[in-house]
Amino acid sequence: MKKYTYTEKKDTRSGFGAGMAELGKSHPNVMALCADLVASLKLDAFIKENPDRFVQCGIAEANMIGVAAGLAIAGYVPYATTFANFGSGRVYDQIRQSVAYSGANVKIAVSHAGLTLGEDGATHQILEDLAMMRSMPEMTVINPCDYNQTKAATIALADHVGPAYLRFGRPVMPVFTDPNQEFVIGKAWMVNEGKDVTIVATGHLVWEAIQAGELLEQEGIDAEIINIHTIKPLDEEAILKSVEKTRCVVTAEEHQLNGGLGDAVCQLLSRKRPTPVEMVGVDNSFGESGTPAQLMEKYGLNAAAIVEKVKQVISRK
Amino acid sequence: MKLEELKSTATQVRRDIVRMVHGCQSGHPGGSLGCTDLVTALYFHEMKIDESKGADGYLNFSREAKGEDLFFLSNGHISPLFYSVLARRGYFDIKEMSTFRKINSRLQGHPATHEHLPGIRVASGSLGQGLSVANGAAYAKKLRKEDNVVYVLMGDGEQQEGQIWEAVQFAPHYKLDNLVAIVDWNKQQIDGSTDKVMNNRDLKAKYEAFGWLTVDLLDGNDMQQVLDALAAAKAMLGKGQPVVILMKTEMGAGVDFMMHTHKWHGTAPNDEQLATALAQLPETLGDY
């Protein structure tokens, strides 16, 4: 098992903020919009350096999406930002018609996705957004795994022409990816090569998958770990190639089992190479208040849950 | 364009609308006919657009519209009007109107950019979104210090959408004094009169309370009054506030049996009704 260590913990949303600060310098057409959550989205640096390219929209997300579409039509590259809950389900139709169907080059960049939002509870813990955005034609969907990857994804999206949904989160997490990584949209990252099982993970679950890989190694199980940061378009080649070798898969995501990464992987495998799959995710349930770690344990979204699913899926080979 | 020319152009546009809707037995003639005079006046008289033409003889169309005035149609169901005006203005072949709402057409049921029809900048039809998009475009014009006007047309039933009021509070906050919104105040919607379905009450007072300047257009089916209202709105721009034209129209204007009712909101005429309608709308520019 390849060794991954970290020296600090940071939130992925701060990676977004750092990426925006760089784009402020390098991309004169990039704009930021926000619906009264500037501090939560870590936009302070961008706004300080580029006050003219920031549009405070107030608590009016539907209008914000439309304003972003209008700016995009005029040639700007707007990043419309809020919490994931308010940037997906609340404005689904606005994104569908004014952005995706209209081919508007808008980036929906959203924080506080999933259970790890924590104490605010289920009203804010969106666990269905990947399903909504995955099903929308023309939409690119990205869910990076740590600070560095989120920063790299934020920067890469500015040169990607087309609508995109960039999802990140609130809590501090280990920073374990390369700060100078090249982020290629749609290209999976091979975290660890192995031969007994393929663990396909996205977002905060990638670090958990690495922890699971170390636990499994102690039990003599050699896990291949793939980070799918781009949920759509899915890197089918990377997954199929891995499965040729391991012949079983566990998916892991901070999302409903319905409609997320696991579903995407199952769809791919059932069409192209039927393979046993077990899925780690939230099983048809809303979340609740609690600390991120408590919630991830209660809802079965941690390293221990991945280890258990790995054993199950290997027994089905 | 002179008044008489504008009037005869509007008559041809009305013929186009009725023929298009009849041709596919589907679509929305009522609101299209009601807004014909306004959209004709915008494209043939008021708006500054790029007049250059491509090798195919049609107007060059840039989605970004740098240096141009631009128009968004928020109540996208009156698409036959939009398509007729765009074709007659020279963006594409008038013959293409015969494909309206048919399979493999660029003239979708509601306006779309997806098939790359020149003249369309955003999809519309799901109501309430156009003013927000116009806000973004107007904001961009100000950011670029472009001296152009952004127009957006909405329905009055559409004013029932919550997003409209998010957008209505945005424009004055950012002093978008390069934005002219027009509300087609025909007092009709699918299920009946707006007063009965969901009373809009005093739209003028509401827009004023949000910080807009208002222009009353008492008869939006009188071309001279339309021109006067557009001129009045333009004169109010540049003063730190957006402008809304509250435009009273008659749904179905120009075809007697389609007027004074909401029943022709989304109904196509049969052969006999088409003949009756066309008899009231003499061909002025040649049918497609």
Side-chain angles (χ1 to χ4, degrees), chain B residues 134-155:
Chain B
N135 276 339
Y139 195 100
K141 292 272 183 202
K142 291 197 87 78
L143 212 50
R144 292 206 169 110
K145 303 192 179 0
E146 282 180 48
D147 185 22
N148 295 111
V149 185
V150 176
Y151 295 92
V152 55
L153 173 60
M154 299 175 277

Side-chain angles (χ1 to χ4, degrees), chain B residues 183-241:
Chain B
V183 179
D184 176 23
W185 205 349
N186 62 23
K187 293 232 159 205
Q188 303 286 346
Q189 59 189 114
I190 298 178
D191 279 354
S193 82
T194 52
D195 287 355
K196 276 193 181 162
V197 175
M198 187 50 65
N199 199 328
N200 281 322
R201 298 190 183 272
D202 191 342
L203 281 178
K204 184 181 168 81
K206 286 158 95 171
Y207 272 88
E208 282 174 350
F210 276 81
W212 290 63
L213 299 171
T214 62
V215 174
D216 296 311
L217 172 45
L218 298 179
D219 185 355
N221 299 121
D222 177 320
M223 188 59 84
Q224 185 60 57
Q225 285 193 39
V226 171
L227 296 178
D228 291 347
L230 288 171
K234 192 169 263 181
M236 290 171 155
L237 294 175
K239 296 181 168 60
Q241 288 174 277

Side-chain angles (χ1 to χ4, degrees), chain B residues 64-194:
Chain B
E64 291 190 18
K66 281 184 186 159
E68 295 183 85
D69 292 345
L70 73 171
F71 171 75
F72 292 104
L73 179 67
S74 190
N75 47 333
H77 56 276
I78 66 169
S79 55
L81 162 61
F82 201 8
Y83 297 147
S84 170
V85 169
L86 290 174
R88 295 287 171 186
R89 188 65 175 84
Y91 281 102
F92 54 87
D93 192 339
I94 59 168
K95 290 197 190 83
E96 201 167 339
M97 283 192 263
S98 66
T99 70
F100 173 62
R101 284 189 172 231
K102 293 176 181 168
I103 193 78
N104 298 325
S105 173
R106 297 196 294 180
L107 278 57
Q108 290 291 298
H110 293 80
T113 59
H114 199 255
E115 289 73 24
H116 308 292
L117 185 68
I120 312 286
R121 292 191 168 87
V122 75
S124 61
S126 176
L127 294 173
Q129 301 187 27
L131 182 58
S132 298
V133 178
N135 276 339
Y139 195 100
K141 292 272 183 202
K142 291 197 87 78
L143 212 50
R144 292 206 169 110
K145 303 192 179 0
E146 282 180 48
D147 185 22
N148 295 111
V149 185
V150 176
Y151 295 92
V152 55
L153 173 60
M154 299 175 277
D156 57 354
E158 188 178 13
Q159 303 300 300
Q160 293 157 5
E161 289 280 9
Q163 186 182 349
I164 292 284
W165 301 99
E166 293 185 6
V168 169
Q169 75 185 344
F170 181 95
H173 183 84
Y174 285 107
K175 301 184 170 49
L176 299 181
D177 55 8
N178 55 348
L179 175 65
V180 177
I182 303 109
V183 179
D184 176 23
W185 205 349
N186 62 23
K187 293 232 159 205
Q188 303 286 346
Q189 59 189 114
I190 298 178
D191 279 354
S193 82
T194 52

Side-chain angles (χ1 to χ4, degrees), chain A residues 88-125:
Chain A
S88 58
R90 188 179 184 92
V91 290
Y92 187 85
D93 188 46
Q94 285 78 14
I95 297 174
R96 182 176 181 273
Q97 175 174 284
S98 291
V99 176
Y101 185 45
S102 294
N105 189 20
V106 172
K107 318 304 174 188
I108 319 276
V110 292
S111 182
H112 292 52
L115 289 175
T116 53
L117 169 140
E119 293 80 354
D120 276 348
T123 52
H124 289 52
Q125 290 162 344

Side-chain angles (χ1 to χ4, degrees), chain A residues 20 30-34 43 46 53-56 77-81:
Chain A
M20 289 301 288
V30 164
M31 294 188 67
L33 292 76
C34 192
L43 284 169
F46 180 91
R53 287 192 276 141
F54 170 68
V55 188
Q56 172 61 266
V77 182
Y79 284 64
T81 74

Side-chain angles (χ1 to χ4, degrees), chain A:
Chain A
M1 176 79 194
K2 193 172 167 186
K3 199 74 191 156
Y4 285 91
T5 55
Y6 65 93
T7 54
E8 59 179 340
K9 287 186 170 187
K10 284 185 180 178
D11 43 359
T12 48
R13 58 186 167 139
S14 286
F16 169 70
M20 289 301 288
E22 276 201 19
L23 287 174
K25 295 186 185 84
S26 61
H27 286 66
N29 272 358
V30 164
M31 294 188 67
L33 292 76
C34 192
D36 194 34
L37 289 167
V38 164
S40 294
L41 268 295
K42 305 293 179 186
L43 284 169
D44 301 308
F46 180 91
I47 295 169
K48 194 172 170 219
E49 296 290 322
N50 315 278
D52 293 346
R53 287 192 276 141
F54 170 68
V55 188
Q56 172 61 266
C57 293
I59 310 167
E61 295 83 4
N63 180 60
M64 176 172 73
I65 299 299
V67 170
L71 290 167
I73 288 165
Y76 286 98
V77 182
Y79 284 64
T81 74
T82 178
F83 286 172
N85 191 33
F86 312 134
S88 58
R90 188 179 184 92
V91 290
Y92 187 85
D93 188 46
Q94 285 78 14
I95 297 174
R96 182 176 181 273
Q97 175 174 284
S98 291
V99 176
Y101 185 45
S102 294
N105 189 20
V106 172
K107 318 304 174 188
I108 319 276
V110 292
S111 182
H112 292 52
L115 289 175
T116 53
L117 169 140
E119 293 80 354
D120 276 348
T123 52
H124 289 52
Q125 290 162 344
I126 187 85
L127 292 162
E128 304 84 38
D129 54 333
L130 295 179
M132 285 185 269
M133 292 302 148
R134 247 190 82 214
S135 64
M136 195 181 291
E138 315 279 340
M139 185 61 79
T140 293
V141 183
I142 298 177
N143 186 191
C145 67
D146 77 347
Y147 173 96
N148 288 334
Q149 194 178 69
T150 308
K151 182 180 172 187
T154 302
I155 293 167
L157 273 175
D159 294 322
H160 166 85
V161 179
Y165 183 78
L166 177 65
R167 175 203 215 231
F168 39 90
R170 173 174 180 253
V172 293
M173 303 287 284
V175 181
F176 59 95
T177 69
D178 182 355
N180 301 310
Q181 66 193 278
E182 187 195 6
F183 189 93
V184 182
I185 293 166
K187 182 91 180 136
W189 171 44
M190 178 61 76
V191 180
N192 186 63
E193 291 191 35
K195 62 178 182 357
D196 296 331
V197 62
T198 302
I199 302 173
V200 179
T202 193
H204 291 146
L205 268 292
V206 177
W207 180 250
E208 297 299 323
I210 291 170
Q211 303 308 296
E214 290 176 0
L215 293 168
L216 290 164
E217 189 177 35
Q218 292 167 19
E219 300 188 38
I221 297 171
D222 183 14
E224 178 142 304
I225 303 171
I226 296 174
N227 168 217
I228 294 287
H229 48 64
T230 308
I231 312 286
K232 186 185 169 195
L234 187 67
D235 189 345
E236 300 189 350
E237 197 187 327
I239 295 166
L240 290 170
K241 198 176 154 199
S242 177
V243 166
E244 279 305 317
K245 180 170 55 175
T246 64
R247 293 180 296 113
C248 65
V249 177
V250 170
T251 62
E253 63 198 304
E254 191 181 346
H255 188 269
Q256 299 287 350
L257 295 180
N258 288 323
L261 170 65
D263 255 9
V265 170
C266 286
Q267 193 184 106
L268 166 71
L269 294 177
S270 60
R271 277 175 169 169
K272 301 213 172 147
R273 196 199 187 288
T275 305
V277 177
E278 292 291 337
M279 296 157 77
V280 169
V282 176
D283 189 6
N284 195 30
S285 160
F286 291 107
E288 64 183 82
S289 293
T291 67
Q294 287 169 339
L295 291 163
M296 295 298 259
E297 187 185 350
K298 177 166 179 177
Y299 289 85
L301 271 68
N302 57 14
I306 295 171
V307 167
E308 192 188 320
K309 294 289 182 192
V310 164
K311 289 177 181 169
Q312 280 177 26
V313 85
I314 286 177
S315 74
R316 289 174 55 202
K317 270 212 253 189

